[in-house]
């Protein structure tokens, strides 16, 4: 890495830390002013249960993009306690092989108290990354219920990674409690039952009504034992191409605005409740509520 690349990397790390720690007031005072970007990055969300192999897959997808001369940023949101940092280290180690590349930047962060498994100021952090001219941004999240909705709002393509044993996830899909992904990956296909899981997912998808011209989600198998991730790469490219021609980007932007405001309101309420004096809380709920709304 050149000296300039090292300096850029340090600046990026600092800006991400600041963005990650920003209070609601900080975000509002800086919103829309800093971190403008000329060319938005392609944002790829990779979600799924803990240990499904999300980081391993991202490392492989990143490697193929780096080979094509593209810049890749990775934000991995870690649901574990910020104190333990266990899987943060785990992620680092698995992505180690490519981590010295100046065109790759990886950041893990705790999800803190965001209710949806996201980091508090994920929007700000994505904007920082985008301002550093990454061509691709991977957002890794542990897919639990609501998190899937948030990922969909923040990214262009959603990949759901499951393993042959992920019966719960397939059940959740059947029950319709899970947002749909664009690409389904049954990872660890070297284990028994992968084909069956693929069929299960396909049969759930077959029950969904298909709009003519709509995106038909892909279902793929992957394994870290296999040489490449060509099919997955192709599925992502196909979805991005489809999206460019078919998705109402203005509506997507409105969804993002809704999500951003909702996150800010949630955080603001959290800040107010954390700062409340006991006397403020020793009152009827309706009074506490009115007081809180008055301070928003
Ligand atoms: N057998 C097998 N193991 C795999 C495969 N892909 C990943 N693993 C292993 O599964 C474990 C978890 O992989 P990760 O890539 O860290 O999974 P993750 O989904 O990012 O995990 P969290 O971020 O902790 O939720 C590691 O020990 C990997 O080496 C695969 O295709 N086959
Ligand atoms: Mg991971």
């Amino acid at each position: 890495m050149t000296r300039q690349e090292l300096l850029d990397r340090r600046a990026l790390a600092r800006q991400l830390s600041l963005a990650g720690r920003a209070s609601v007031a900080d975000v509002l005072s800086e919103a829309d002013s800093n971190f403008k970007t000329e060319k938005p990055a392609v944002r790829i969300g990779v979600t799924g249960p803990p240990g499904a192999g999300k980081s391993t897959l991202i490392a492989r997808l990143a490697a193929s993009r780096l080979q094509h001369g593209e810049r890749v940023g990775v934000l991995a949101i870690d649901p574990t306690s910020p104190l333990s940092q266990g899987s943060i280290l785990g992620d680092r180690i698995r992505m180690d092989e490519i981590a010295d590349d100046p065109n790759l930047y990886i950041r893990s962060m705790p999800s803190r108290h965001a209710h949806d498994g996201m980091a508090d100021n994920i929007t700000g952090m994505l904007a920082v990354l985008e301002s550093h001219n990454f061509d691709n941004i991977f957002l890794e999240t542990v897919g639990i219920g609501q998190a899937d909705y948030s990922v969909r709002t923040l990214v262009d393509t959603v990949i759901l990674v499951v393993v042959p044993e992920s019966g719960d996830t397939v059940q959740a899909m059947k029950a319709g409690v899970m947002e749909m992904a664009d690409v389904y990956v049954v990872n660890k296909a070297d284990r028994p039952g992968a084909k069956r899981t693929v069929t299960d997912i396909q049969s759930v998808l077959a029950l969904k009504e298909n709009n003519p011209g709509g995106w038909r989600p892909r279902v793929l198998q992957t394994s870290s034992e296999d040489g490449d991730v060509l099919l997955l790469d192709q599925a992502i490219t196909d979805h991005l191409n489809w999206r460019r021609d078919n998705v109402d980007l203005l509506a997507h932007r409105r969804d993002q605005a809704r999500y951003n405001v909702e996150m800010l309101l949630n955080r603001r309420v959290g800040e107010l409740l954390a700062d409340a004096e006991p006397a403020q809380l020793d009152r009827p709920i309706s009074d506490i509520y009115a007081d809180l709304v008055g301070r928003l």
Side-chain angles (χ1 to χ4, degrees), residues 44 46 54-68 70 72 98 136 138 159 161 185 222 228-234 236:
I44 302 165
V46 180
K54 301 178 291 296
S55 298
T56 310
L57 272 175
I58 291 173
R60 300 173 76 205
L61 290 167
S64 84
R65 282 161 172 68
L66 290 168
Q67 273 171 9
H68 290 105
E70 296 179 19
V72 180
I98 49 176
N136 305 269
F138 287 94
I159 302 174
V161 184
V185 173
T222 53
D228 58 52
V229 279
L230 278 179
L231 286 177
L232 178 53
D233 246 333
Q234 189 57 51
I236 294 170

Side-chain angles (χ1 to χ4, degrees), residues 48-58 60 76-79 87 90-91 94-95 140-142 161 187-191 222-226:
K54 301 178 291 296
S55 298
T56 310
L57 272 175
I58 291 173
R60 300 173 76 205
I77 300 175
D78 199 297
S87 47
D91 281 341
R94 276 188 285 285
M95 292 187 179
E140 176 183 333
T141 61
V142 171
V161 184
N187 190 41
K188 307 199 185 182
D190 48 296
R191 293 196 183 163
T222 53
S223 160
S224 53
E225 316 274 297
D226 283 351

Side-chain angles (χ1 to χ4, degrees), residues 53-132:
K54 301 178 291 296
S55 298
T56 310
L57 272 175
I58 291 173
R60 300 173 76 205
L61 290 167
S64 84
R65 282 161 172 68
L66 290 168
Q67 273 171 9
H68 290 105
E70 296 179 19
R71 281 168 59 74
V72 180
V74 182
L75 280 184
I77 300 175
D78 199 297
T80 53
S81 146
L83 291 176
S84 89
Q85 301 207 337
S87 47
I88 294 183
L89 262 183
D91 281 341
R92 288 267 158 78
I93 289 166
R94 276 188 285 285
M95 292 187 179
D96 233 15
E97 287 166 35
I98 49 176
D100 274 340
D101 193 314
N103 288 323
L104 175 73
Y105 186 83
I106 300 168
R107 176 79 163 222
S108 292
M109 76 200 101
S111 54
R112 292 208 286 179
H113 31 263
H115 303 301
D116 60 356
M118 284 291 162
D120 280 344
N121 188 22
I122 185 72
T123 307
M125 297 183 84
L126 287 169
V128 168
L129 267 185
E130 231 157 37
S131 75
H132 281 255

Side-chain angles (χ1 to χ4, degrees), residues 145-283:
Q146 185 63 13
D148 304 310
Y149 161 74
S150 310
V151 176
R152 159 135 337 265
T153 310
L154 292 167
V155 304
D156 302 316
T157 293
V158 179
I159 302 174
L160 177 69
V161 184
V162 298
V163 294
E165 302 86 27
S166 298
D168 293 358
T169 314
V170 180
Q171 286 307 323
M173 280 176 64
K174 274 189 192 147
V177 295
M178 227 170 63
E179 289 282 327
M180 290 292 120
D182 304 308
V183 180
Y184 292 83
V185 173
V186 179
N187 190 41
K188 307 199 185 182
D190 48 296
R191 293 196 183 163
K195 188 89 194 59
R196 172 72 205 273
T197 309
V198 167
T199 320
D200 283 351
I201 295 174
Q202 279 167 337
S203 60
V204 178
L205 294 175
L207 297 174
K208 306 267 158 208
E209 68 181 278
N210 258 319
N211 307 326
W215 171 253
R216 296 175 69 94
R218 301 279 176 83
V219 189
L220 304 168
Q221 291 183 43
T222 53
S223 160
S224 53
E225 316 274 297
D226 283 351
D228 58 52
V229 279
L230 278 179
L231 286 177
L232 178 53
D233 246 333
Q234 189 57 51
I236 294 170
T237 306
D238 289 349
H239 179 258
L240 289 168
N241 287 340
W242 172 86
R243 189 177 187 283
R244 200 185 44 223
D245 300 333
N246 294 281
V247 168
D248 180 352
L249 295 180
L250 206 61
H252 187 67
R253 228 169 285 149
R254 282 190 206 115
D255 280 345
Q256 286 181 335
R258 201 177 284 126
Y259 175 78
N260 288 343
V261 172
E262 186 186 334
M263 287 296 276
L264 285 171
L265 282 170
N266 279 340
R267 289 178 59 195
R268 181 73 189 128
V269 169
E271 287 175 2
L272 287 171
L273 287 174
D275 292 345
E277 301 289 336
Q280 285 174 270
L281 299 172
D282 292 335
R283 295 181 301 163

